[in-house]
Amino acid sequence: MGFAAATAAQLGWWYATHRFCSHCGHAYVPDTVERALTCPQCGQKIYPTIAPAIIVAVTHGDQLLLTKFLTGYDKYTLISGYAEIGETLEETVRREVHEEVGLSVHHIRYRGSQPWAASHALLVGFVAELDQSLPLTLETDELSQAKWFRRDELPHDDTTLSLSWSMIEAFRRGDL
């Protein structure tokens, strides 16, 4: 139910902020066939936008790298970030890991996906292995902490619906 409500809120925002055609300025009308808006004047059709984003479990043997955001969500989580134009999701994984903690990864594997309505994103989860054990270089404009945790040291969270925590729990169980 929570995901349905979040999707409804995301669609409500999209309809409210896309009232007029960006091509000719006329009011859009809901398309009669698919989830889209159509301009009756020029025929321009638009669809709800989704921002692709990655979330990655960086592993090093029996250790998992977790980070904390500088502001907002205050629990440990996995590295995440938005894909840039012209970038594959695997390139996004490499770039985000390097930008956020200064490390390189390899053996990138798809794990799962989840809609994330709060930021109009589709989170795509990956697992990646650390290339070489180096000191962490924290990106301090986005993160407050980054830390390696052994399986038996992983923190717990009260949210169980997020892709991040399902991946962390899978690592804890040895399934990741």
Side-chain angles (χ1 to χ4, degrees):
M1 290 302 291
F3 284 116
T7 300
Q10 183 178 1
L11 281 171
W13 173 87
W14 182 73
Y15 285 120
T17 59
H18 293 82
R19 294 178 36 211
F20 299 99
C21 178
S22 61
H23 182 71
C24 72
H26 282 81
Y28 279 122
V29 296
D31 192 87
T32 58
V33 177
E34 56 191 336
R35 184 175 290 159
L37 294 171
T38 303
C39 177
Q41 181 67 28
C42 71
Q44 171 93 356
K45 186 182 286 194
I46 63 168
Y47 299 88
T49 54
I50 300 170
I54 60 90
I55 192 156
V56 58
V58 178
T59 65
H60 182 54
D62 73 338
Q63 294 182 315
L64 179 66
L65 181 63
L66 298 180
T67 62
K68 276 191 177 185
F69 292 109
L70 188 60
T71 60
Y73 188 72
D74 68 346
K75 303 204 186 255
Y76 280 103
T77 190
L78 301 175
I79 290 176
S80 61
Y82 291 98
E84 294 182 359
I85 292 174
E87 184 176 60
T88 68
L89 295 175
E90 294 81 2
E91 289 168 338
T92 304
V93 166
R94 288 185 195 93
R95 177 183 52 77
E96 285 293 339
V97 170
H98 189 265
E99 285 178 1
E100 293 191 3
V101 293
L103 300 175
S104 297
V105 295
H106 69 282
H107 197 210
I108 299 168
R109 302 169 314 279
Y110 172 79
R111 178 64 186 189
S113 64
Q114 175 182 26
W116 200 250
S119 60
H120 311 285
L122 174 63
L123 291 179
V124 182
F126 292 93
V127 179
E129 296 173 13
L130 181 67
D131 276 345
Q132 179 181 0
S133 186
L134 296 171
L136 298 172
T137 306
L138 189 65
E139 180 182 46
T140 56
D141 62 332
E142 289 185 26
L143 300 176
S144 66
Q145 293 181 41
K147 182 178 174 185
W148 289 101
F149 289 89
R150 287 192 334 258
R151 285 183 211 280
D152 61 344
E153 299 175 325
L154 286 167
H156 290 274
D157 193 0
D158 54 356
T159 54
T160 58
L161 296 176
S162 74
L163 178 60
S164 178
W165 278 97
S166 70
M167 291 171 64
I168 291 168
E169 289 303 314
F171 184 83
R172 184 189 318 274
R173 292 187 310 269
D175 298 334
L176 188 64

